[in-house]
Amino acid sequence: MDVLRLSASVEIRAGPERVFALVSDPRRKAALNPNVQVIRVEMEGEGPVAEGSRFYHRLQRGQRIFEYRSRVIRMVPPRLFESRAETDPPFEVRVTVEPAPEGCRFTQQETLEVAPELLDALEPVSVGGRTVREMAGWLTFFPGPRQFGLYLRSLQRDRLARRLTRELEAWLDAIKAHLEAGEASPAGGAEVEKKGTRGSL
């Protein structure tokens, strides 16, 4: 099992409290992600977002639909927000908001474990009709080529990390543009739910 750690930062011309209010609410934040189509994000229970709050996510990426729950594990307004996705394996998101000369600096760090099966699903690579997983498995029977198989896996991890980092940067740029434009409604009008109510941003 490999662990990927991604990080991206952006400076936003807006106050830390205003930025934190958006990035600590998974419903509002998800609607600004240009990499996925938000079908639904629902908060379980009533009240404001706080430590222990749980969310149900239903997202579409290409032809695939992803469903999972997440839980807020730490929240220190207006500077720190951490959540953990209740997936197998889980992944964690850590958001920090720090004052800067013209507003604030928003940083998001993501930590996820990736098994070979998940690597192949997220970053499929085919060489001569064979996936990296198939090639790596076959090459384990040969001492020299086995190292080549590990090298191929490393390249696959690096490609995935670069792609996910680019997507994270695009998401942060969209949040920056949204906040600096005065929080106009996000394009697409993605649906966001709180249990028992319906609405759109």
Side-chain angles (χ1 to χ4, degrees):
M1 187 81 70
D2 293 295
V3 177
L4 292 184
R5 292 182 175 85
L6 316 172
S7 181
S9 297
V10 67
E11 291 202 5
I12 302 175
R13 292 190 301 274
E17 291 80 6
R18 184 162 159 245
V19 173
F20 188 82
L22 188 152
V23 301
S24 63
D25 188 335
R27 298 162 296 185
R28 297 174 63 200
K29 186 180 170 194
L32 295 168
N33 189 340
N35 307 298
V36 298
Q37 177 185 348
V38 178
I39 299 171
R40 186 167 55 134
V41 178
E42 174 183 290
M43 181 176 173
E44 299 179 357
E46 301 296 327
V49 179
E51 289 185 10
S53 293
R54 289 170 53 115
F55 293 85
Y56 166 75
H57 306 254
R58 183 176 171 86
L59 312 172
Q60 184 169 350
R61 182 188 181 98
Q63 300 300 312
R64 301 182 64 185
I65 292 178
F66 299 88
E67 294 179 294
Y68 65 94
R69 282 182 164 76
S70 68
R71 181 172 60 87
V72 180
I73 58 176
R74 191 172 178 209
M75 186 170 175
V76 185
R79 62 181 183 85
L80 177 66
F81 181 84
E82 294 180 346
S83 64
R84 178 180 293 125
E86 297 174 349
T87 52
D88 184 21
F91 66 89
E92 295 186 359
V93 175
R94 185 176 196 268
V95 164
T96 57
V97 179
E98 304 167 288
E102 295 186 4
C104 66
R105 183 174 182 81
F106 163 44
T107 301
Q108 180 160 318
Q109 298 170 308
E110 300 182 1
T111 304
L112 60 152
E113 295 179 2
V114 285
E117 296 80 9
L118 185 58
L119 265 178
D120 287 334
L122 295 175
E123 190 64 32
V125 178
S126 177
V127 179
R130 295 180 179 271
T131 66
V132 170
R133 182 181 177 196
E134 292 170 331
M135 292 177 62
W138 181 74
L139 291 171
T140 57
F141 293 104
F142 303 91
R146 180 178 183 278
Q147 296 304 314
F148 181 66
L150 295 174
Y151 174 68
L152 287 177
R153 270 292 178 220
S154 176
L155 288 178
Q156 190 181 24
R157 287 191 301 272
D158 290 346
R159 280 182 53 171
L160 176 61
R162 286 194 300 271
R163 178 168 65 82
L164 293 178
T165 298
R166 287 193 303 270
E167 292 179 359
L168 179 57
E169 290 169 344
W171 191 6
L172 268 58
D173 286 342
I175 291 170
K176 171 186 170 75
H178 176 72
L179 285 163
E180 291 184 350
E183 299 206 43
S185 296
E191 179 185 28
V192 178
E193 286 195 14
K194 184 172 181 180
K195 202 164 188 176
T197 62
R198 297 178 69 87
S200 62
L201 293 177

